[in-house]
Amino acid sequence: MTEVTRELLTFDPLAVAEKLTGQSYKEDDPTMNLGMGIAIMHNQRKGAILEAAGDTHYSMKFADALRVFQSMGFRVVLQEPFEGIDFKGLPNGYKETFIILWHPQGLLATLESYWGDGLNSSKVWYNILFKEGVNQWPLTSSGHMNNHVWVGDHDGREGIKFNVEQLAENGDFLQTWVERPFLWLLTYADTKVEGYDYNALNAARIAKLPPEVQAAIAGGTA
């Protein structure tokens, strides 16, 4: 099942379409349309398999995603309601929720709702020391090395349970970070305010976290 899930998460519909037609989807409309058709079928299959595995997938609701994270051992350390904003920056009438979660192994995560019950965004940050001889590139997403420690993050909206389990099997998460990754702890509504101050908003949310979490994620910044 591990290889099946890995293939599902790395499958590239447009690349398959190009291989079948011998044309670039950027220059050939039939190839683009074929790729989109393959993508629709693939996403349906992928979503069904991830849901059956108790994992996150793009079409799931906010509350369901929260349950996945909690089943993985994450706990909510900050929950803030906020007013939803439309693309013009005007209130859209939806009551939104922004949540920060912490896993005792040393992982920080966010969940943000959209239109009340939908899942808008999710991110997971961590420091991990991979076991000797492990090829980390198939296991990682964004990040960089700091000496022997990978300072990274994953999108939490799809396959986060699988990705975290694969990381844990091949390395040791650091409960106290050696370096803090770039954290984005702002809501989508925060960014609609003209002249918003990312550093101030980010710092204010970090200051609301439990002291033990603040100490764990300081990474030399404190």
Side-chain angles (χ1 to χ4, degrees):
M1 192 63 187
T2 295
E3 290 307 314
V4 171
T5 305
R6 192 188 309 281
E7 289 176 8
L8 283 170
L9 294 174
T10 58
F11 182 80
D12 186 343
L14 291 174
V16 171
E18 288 183 332
K19 186 175 181 179
L20 290 171
T21 66
Q23 302 291 323
S24 169
Y25 76 89
K26 296 178 181 179
E27 301 171 354
D28 183 63
D29 287 342
T31 300
M32 168 66 84
N33 294 335
L34 176 61
M36 296 305 293
I38 294 173
I40 291 171
M41 291 186 292
H42 171 67
N43 288 335
Q44 290 173 342
R45 177 171 178 260
K46 179 171 58 174
I49 291 176
L50 289 172
E51 183 173 4
D55 211 335
T56 55
H57 56 88
Y58 283 126
S59 60
M60 78 185 328
K61 297 295 186 180
F62 177 84
D64 294 329
L66 175 58
R67 280 191 284 271
V68 171
F69 276 84
Q70 290 174 325
S71 75
M72 295 168 61
F74 283 87
R75 64 182 177 92
V76 176
V77 290
L78 181 66
Q79 180 167 329
E80 291 189 346
F82 66 97
E83 297 294 326
I85 302 293
D86 65 17
F87 68 96
K88 294 181 180 180
L90 300 174
N92 62 13
Y94 287 99
K95 302 296 183 181
E96 308 287 20
T97 305
F98 180 76
I99 290 177
I100 300 178
L101 307 100
W102 175 249
H103 193 287
Q105 285 186 304
L107 296 90
L108 189 75
T110 58
L111 285 168
E112 180 185 61
S113 70
Y114 190 66
W115 288 358
D117 63 351
L119 177 62
N120 186 48
S121 64
S122 176
K123 203 79 167 180
V124 178
W125 297 272
Y126 53 85
N127 282 196
I128 188 170
L129 180 63
F130 285 107
K131 297 175 182 177
E132 187 174 353
V134 167
N135 177 12
Q136 74 265 24
W137 303 116
L139 306 170
T140 57
S141 180
S142 300
H144 62 273
M145 293 296 293
N146 181 334
N147 291 323
H148 299 293
V149 174
W150 180 259
V151 180
D153 64 78
H154 266 80
D155 190 323
R157 295 173 297 173
E158 184 178 69
I160 193 59
K161 181 179 178 182
F162 172 80
N163 285 322
V164 169
E165 287 176 350
Q166 289 296 291
L167 289 167
E169 287 180 14
N170 291 278
D172 297 307
F173 290 113
L174 303 188
Q175 294 176 321
T176 300
W177 293 353
V178 299
E179 180 186 338
R180 179 186 289 172
F182 177 79
L183 301 180
W184 184 267
L185 305 180
L186 278 63
T187 70
Y188 76 83
D190 290 331
T191 65
K192 301 296 184 182
V193 178
E194 186 175 355
Y196 73 91
D197 187 334
Y198 155 76
N199 289 316
L201 291 169
N202 221 47
R205 289 212 167 90
I206 291 174
K208 295 178 182 179
L209 300 177
E212 65 273 17
V213 177
Q214 293 187 48
I217 70 173
T221 63

